[in-house]
RNA sequence: GCCGGGGUGGCGGAAUGGCAGACGCAGCGGACUUAAACUCCGCGGCCGAAAGGCAUGUGGGUUCGAAUCCCUCCCCCGGUACCA
């Protein structure tokens, strides 16, 4: 029986050896240049699935490549372990969230180990461990000190299923991102982070290579609009404050024929006339009853009622009615608009429905501006119906009107953002407690840094009540005020778990530091992340929050530089063999543990990368595994079985083998640099096929064969770390292949001696001729025209033109 | 509606201005074998006997030459949406 490749024995042998040797530990003292490779850490659900492998194995390949390239590579792993599932398990099965979580982590560590990834486990972080969340709380206190954390009453997204509030980013189509329950709007006092303070800077993506898609999504989410705030006088006795509106088109102010405020707007109650009271109250109630989903439907016909009150246009003194309507959102701008039906389709729709006047304020050469159709154009040539501004050209209108407004103190130029501050309070147990104390005398008082962490109490019951389960533990809630020593209560809300993941990449640099979240030296040594990888679904959540957090940390002097992750790559979604998302109910789940048992981790890793481009994702192909297994077996036999050797370095066969070896180095290197693992594997397959052919036709030149075997094993090492380590040993080479330098290619050796020249007639291939590869343009042209097949096409005539693409083709134009 | 990605053999995909279908799966034929498995070799878009013609969602354009660049439209995936 020949020496066959037994993946079980080989993989466990080397996993044990690597662990015993701490092969993948990134030392702080290593003088080589650092490379920080990070892939998003998992939530410890208790089972590692194929999606995790798809997210982690390719980054491991890239990290291993960097290590072979001479970098001191840090590739850490941890667990994002706070969050709802643990608490739901507690409610359902009565288990302790901490125990449940820790058992899951234990199991997943074992599953991750089988991947054979070069994780630096000495740097592991677990966000629900007090050593970690102590610092999450510390960050909260720093943000509070700097005015970036504050408490406010606001319309919050309330998930009735989770019995907690959610951040805007966690509401998808009016539903809870986690539970899919329809989200309600509630006015509650909550903690916020002032992410809007960094809105402008978050729009810049300088010095980072992030996918266009993510940058666009973040840009749209932040939603910067330039415009003006204008103040309209409210023509109601006793109301002195102005009705302020944000508009991107102050130049249309003369066309404002009515005002619309959101039903929730604070002025509504005070300006409503007695005659309109009943109608307004009913409309406000109806709006509250509506779900976000109904309200967001754009197909719906516009609704609204007049308040009976009027506003005065500060530009022309026009007295115009104030309406309420739910198409105006209280959360955007000032929650009120000046309606210009001639130049805004929504206002136009509303005006048409309720018979309100439509006054165009821009002339347009092709449109009869006296007709309602005028709403179809946003701009025109010059201002009309606009008093002293009549005749002002379109391009100058905006600044003319705004300058006038600023001079007369009736308005000002401004920038408005769609981005809201980040609501971080959660009325749940399994999160980091917010380290604040409410004192009757001193108000809100931060916990002393020396008293961190504020530990989660044990023995809590978890029935959802709408209040944090922490409220049930009086001995935990009741404390003395750090300021006055009097009776006080702890804040019972916990933090959004996105807070934990906003800074975890910093902690990996210095995971055991008891004094600081990360020392200055460690931050300088390791940060920022050089290559970050993970799913694109985090575009406007984690990936935005972590940028905000980093900028705040920079301003605190904790880290240096403006961005936390220099390069970002979003992998696609790996689907089941049927092309659908893997799910138990569909029965299309591919379980990594089973694949590893059957084929080995190396084969499973390679198959995941071979099915297609990594950023595209796509269906997993289990039958295709045969091709990967054949390839690995072929590589095995090429190394393990003897080849007939001879010493004839100058032979054509030797030159040919070296040529394909060096070409493979070049192409495989290009591919792995660009994270194109599918084409990289196909290059390596071609190389092993060429080697096999060379051996069969043997004898093979000893040195050329040695170069080919070593190169094949080295280039495969990042992809299939176990089998290559074994083969490296069998080649008699010193442990470990994963610390060996990446092979260099020699352009001279890779160069073809002969080339196949394609000859086209009128752009269609008619012949192929062999030519020395250093043949010049003239030579190529002459050879092409001399070809008998081309002669036939020429029919004795001269060609009109001959185009020569050096090294590629000749095109004869007739 | 708007933004981003995509549409290529039976299947996954390759080729980003120069031989369409690399590499692999499945299939067919052959060698080895008592037989099977493994392994190896060969074939493989469509029409046609061949010459040749037709083929990269649709229709047009630019070019000596287009899967690739430009325009029109259709379909699929993801995101986002009354944002004033």
């Amino acid at each position: 029986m020949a020496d066959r490749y037994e993946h079980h024995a080989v993989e466990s042998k080397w996993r044990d050896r690597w662990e015993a040797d701490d092969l993948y530990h990134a030392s702080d003292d290593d003088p080589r240049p650092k490379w920080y490779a990070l892939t998003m850490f998992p939530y410890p659900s208790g089972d590692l699935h194929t999606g995790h492998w798809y997210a982690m194995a390719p980054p491991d390949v890239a990290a291993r490549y960097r290590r072979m390239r001479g970098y001191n590579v840090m590739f850490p792993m941890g667990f994002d372990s706070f969050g709802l599932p643990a608490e739901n398990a507690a409610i359902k099965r009565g288990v302790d969230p901490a125990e449940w979580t820790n058992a899951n982590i234990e199991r997943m560590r074992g599953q991750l180990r089988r991947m054979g990834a070069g994780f630096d486990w000495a740097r592991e972080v677990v966000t629900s461990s007090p050593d970690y969340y102590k610092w999450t709380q510390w960050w909260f206190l720093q943000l509070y000190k700097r005015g970036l954390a504050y408490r406010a009453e606001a319309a919050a997204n309330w998930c009735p299923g989770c019995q907690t509030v959610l951040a805007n980013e966690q509401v998808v189509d009016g539903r809870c991102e986690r539970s899919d329950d329809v989200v309600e709007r509630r006015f509650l006092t909550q903690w916020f982070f002032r992410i809007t303070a960094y809105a402008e800077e978050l729009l810049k993506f300088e010095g980072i290579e992030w996918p266009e898609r993510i940058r666009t999504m973040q840009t749209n989410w932040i939603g910067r609009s330039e415009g003006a705030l204008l103040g309209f006088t409210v023509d109601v006795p006793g109301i002195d404050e102005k009705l302020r509106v944000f508009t991107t088109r102050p130049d249309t102010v003369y066309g404002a024929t009515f005002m619309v405020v959101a039903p929730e707007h604070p002025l509504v109650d005070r300006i409503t006339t007695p005659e309109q009271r009943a109608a307004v109250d009913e409309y406000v109630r109806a709006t509250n009853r509506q779900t976000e989903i109904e309200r967001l439907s754009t197909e719906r016909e516009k609704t609204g009622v007049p308040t009976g009150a009027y506003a005065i246009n500060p530009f022309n003194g026009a007295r115009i009615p104030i309406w309420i309507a739910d198409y105006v959102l209280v959360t955007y701008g000032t929650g009120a608009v000046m309606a210009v039906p001639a130049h805004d389709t929504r206002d136009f729709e509303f005006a048409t429905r309720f018979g309100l006047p439509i006054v165009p304020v821009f002339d347009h050469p092709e449109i009869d501006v006296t007709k309602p159709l005028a709403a179809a154009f946003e701009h025109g040539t010059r201002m009309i119906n606009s008093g002293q501004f009549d005749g002002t050209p379109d391009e100058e209108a905006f600044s003319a009107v705004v300058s006038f407004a600023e001079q007369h103190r009736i308005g000002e130029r401004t920038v408005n953002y769609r981005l809201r501050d980040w609501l971080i309070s959660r009325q749940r147990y399994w999160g980091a407690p917010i380290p604040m104390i409410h004192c009757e005398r001193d108000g809100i008082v931060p916990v002393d840094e020396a008293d961190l962490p504020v530990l989660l109490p044990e023995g809590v019951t978890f029935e959802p009540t709408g209040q944090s389960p922490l409220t049930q533990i009086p001995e935990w809630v009741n404390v003395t005020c750090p300021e006055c020593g009097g009776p006080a209560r702890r804040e019972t809300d916990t933090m959004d778990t996105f807070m934990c993941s906003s800074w975890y990449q910093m902690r990996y640099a210095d995971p055991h530091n008891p004094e600081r979240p990360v020392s200055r030296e460690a931050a300088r040594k390791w940060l920022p992340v050089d290559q970050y990888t993970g799913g694109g679904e985090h575009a406007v959540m984690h990936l935005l929050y972590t940028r905000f957090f980093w900028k705040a940390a920079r301003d605190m002097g904790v880290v240096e530089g403006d961005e936390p992750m220099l390069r970002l790559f979003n992998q696609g979604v790996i689907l089941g063999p049927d092309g659908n998302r893997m799910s138990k109910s569909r029965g299309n789940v591919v379980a990594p543990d089973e694949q590893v048992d059957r084929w080995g981790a190396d084969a499973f890793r390679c198959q995941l990368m071979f099915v297609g481009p990594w950023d595209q994702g796509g269906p997993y192909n289990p039958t295709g595994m045969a091709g990967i297994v054949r390839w690995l077996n072929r590589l095995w036999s090429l190394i393990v079985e003897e080849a007939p050797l001879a010493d004839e370095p100058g032979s054509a066969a030797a030159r040919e083998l070296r040529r394909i070896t060096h070409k493979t180095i070049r192409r495989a290197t290009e591919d792995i640099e660009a994270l194109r693992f599918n084409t990289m594997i196909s290059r390596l397959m071609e190389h092993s096929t060429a080697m096999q052919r060379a051996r069969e036709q043997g004898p093979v030149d000893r040195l050329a064969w040695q170069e080919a075997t070593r190169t094949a094993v080295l280039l495969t090492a990042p992809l299939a770390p176990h089998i290559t380590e074994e083969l490296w040993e069998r080649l008699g080479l010193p442990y470990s292949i994963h610390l060996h330098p990446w092979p260099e290619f020699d352009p001279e050796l890779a160069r073809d001696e002969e080339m196949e020249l394609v000859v086209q007639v009128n752009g269609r291939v008619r012949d192929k001729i062999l030519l020395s590869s250093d043949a010049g343009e003239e030579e190529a042209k002459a050879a092409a025209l001399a070809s008998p097949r081309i002669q036939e096409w020429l029919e004795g005539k001269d060609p009109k033109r001959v185009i020569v693409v050096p090294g590629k083709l000749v095109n004869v134009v007739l």
Side-chain angles (χ1 to χ4, degrees), chain A residues 81-83 87 96-98 101 127-130 133-134 137 428-434 453-460 462 468-470 473 476 490-495:
Chain A
S81 49
F82 270 138
E87 212 164 326
D96 178 58
T101 302
T127 61
S128 61
S129 116
Y133 74 72
K134 168 181 178 177
Q137 292 172 336
R428 298 300 300 223
Y429 169 79
W430 193 235
I434 293 173
V454 176
L455 289 171
L456 278 170
E458 290 171 13
V460 179
F462 294 101
S468 165
L470 295 176
I473 316 278
W476 186 85
R490 279 194 195 285
E491 169 69 54
T492 54
D493 285 354
T494 52
M495 292 182 231

Side-chain angles (χ1 to χ4, degrees), chain A residues 655-665 686-687 690:
Chain A
R655 292 203 310 273
E656 180 58 29
L657 182 58
R658 296 202 71 185
R659 186 175 309 121
I660 174 84
T661 297
H662 281 267
K663 271 187 176 168
T664 304
I665 296 172
E686 282 172 316
H687 186 233

Side-chain angles (χ1 to χ4, degrees), chain A residues 644 692-700:
Chain A
Q692 183 154 303
R693 204 148 284 172
R695 185 169 69 175
E696 275 162 15
Q697 287 163 7
V700 193

Side-chain angles (χ1 to χ4, degrees), chain A residues 348-369:
Chain A
F348 176 76
E349 219 181 291
F350 195 81
T352 314
R353 174 99 202 271
F354 294 104
L356 294 157
I358 299 167
V359 179
V361 289
F362 278 91
D363 199 356
H364 197 284
E366 286 161 30
I367 293 174
D368 180 356
V369 295

Side-chain angles (χ1 to χ4, degrees), chain A residues 610-624:
Chain A
F610 189 59
V611 291
W614 189 33
D615 57 346
Q616 225 170 277
Y620 180 71
N621 181 359
T623 55

Side-chain angles (χ1 to χ4, degrees), chain A residues 508-520:
Chain A
Y508 281 133
D510 197 7
H512 309 296
N513 191 332
E515 309 294 330
R516 294 173 57 83
V518 55
S519 73
R520 270 175 229 282

Side-chain angles (χ1 to χ4, degrees), chain A residues 254-268:
Chain A
Y254 284 80
T257 53
F258 57 101
M259 310 291 284
V260 188
V261 300
E264 303 91 338
H265 195 282
L267 269 178
V268 169

